[in-house]
Amino acid sequence: MRYREIYQQAKQIDHLIDKQADKEKHFPTREKLEELVLKNFSVFYVVGWGRHKVIFGSYRADQRVVLKIGLHRNIESDHHAYKAVPEQKRHHFFAKIYWHTRYCILQEYGLPAQPTPEQIQEFRYALARYGIVDIKATNLRMIKGELRLVDANTTRLPMPIIQQKLSDLKRMIFKKLGLR
């Protein structure tokens, strides 16, 4: 297993979160989660946060991986989106996920990227058949010189590519007419 030491720390973090949640009757807030991890593990530092997860880097691991911590359902959602794409194509679109625990997921992260609208559309068209949604510039990072998706969601029923093309066409028409 890669990053075994971080995995052991992630299991301890899961245990600490469970204890905190039992005490407070709900999942810790972002601020409490940051405090909990930084107080108990000096090897981690905050990289950033999103709507559902806090992202930590580790001083002991290379800067290309991050530990994302969030609610169990959000971690499972990320893992489900990653597994929804066949393995042969998965690594072409997604940043690699090494492993996950109840509240943590270790993933490649890379560098910030400035994808063009065409590149974003390419990702959307390619992944729509697998039900992958929420593909936007902030969810794309530069990993090993290529754009990779670090966060996405799935729909229950995959959205057909034709619907996406119609939506794009509608947006172009509105733009040409000056309505948007």
Side-chain angles (χ1 to χ4, degrees), residues 47-116:
V47 173
W49 57 87
R51 176 184 266 166
H52 302 290
K53 293 179 276 308
V54 181
I55 304 166
F56 293 91
S58 173
Y59 292 115
R60 293 202 181 140
D62 53 23
Q63 294 179 336
R64 296 176 298 205
V65 297
V66 293
L67 185 68
K68 295 180 178 181
I69 303 175
L71 284 168
H72 176 69
R73 70 174 177 255
N74 296 328
I75 297 301
E76 282 301 323
S77 174
D78 278 10
H79 194 244
H80 178 73
Y82 180 73
K83 293 286 188 175
V85 179
E87 194 170 353
Q88 309 89 321
K89 296 180 182 184
R90 182 182 308 153
H91 299 297
H92 179 71
F93 296 106
F94 281 94
K96 184 175 182 171
I97 292 178
Y98 292 99
W99 45 256
H100 75 290
T101 64
R102 183 168 173 80
Y103 302 114
C104 305
I105 193 164
L106 187 75
Q107 183 178 30
E108 282 183 309
Y109 201 58
L111 302 169
Q114 297 295 323
T116 64

Side-chain angles (χ1 to χ4, degrees), residues 114-121 140 147:
Q114 297 295 323
T116 64
E118 293 80 19
Q119 289 171 316
I120 295 169
Q121 277 306 111
L140 292 167
L147 280 177

Side-chain angles (χ1 to χ4, degrees), residues 11-28 33 36 72 102-103:
K11 295 297 273 182
Q12 291 173 357
I13 291 168
D14 287 352
H15 181 69
L16 290 171
I17 290 171
D18 281 336
K19 281 176 57 177
Q20 185 81 18
D22 286 345
K23 189 168 49 172
E24 296 184 5
K25 306 293 184 220
H26 59 81
F27 193 80
L33 190 58
L36 182 75
H72 176 69
R102 183 168 173 80
Y103 302 114

Side-chain angles (χ1 to χ4, degrees), residues 89 124-132 158-161:
K89 296 180 182 184
R124 286 179 181 156
Y125 288 144
L127 296 172
R129 71 185 66 186
Y130 306 110
I132 307 295
M159 187 168 62
I161 293 175

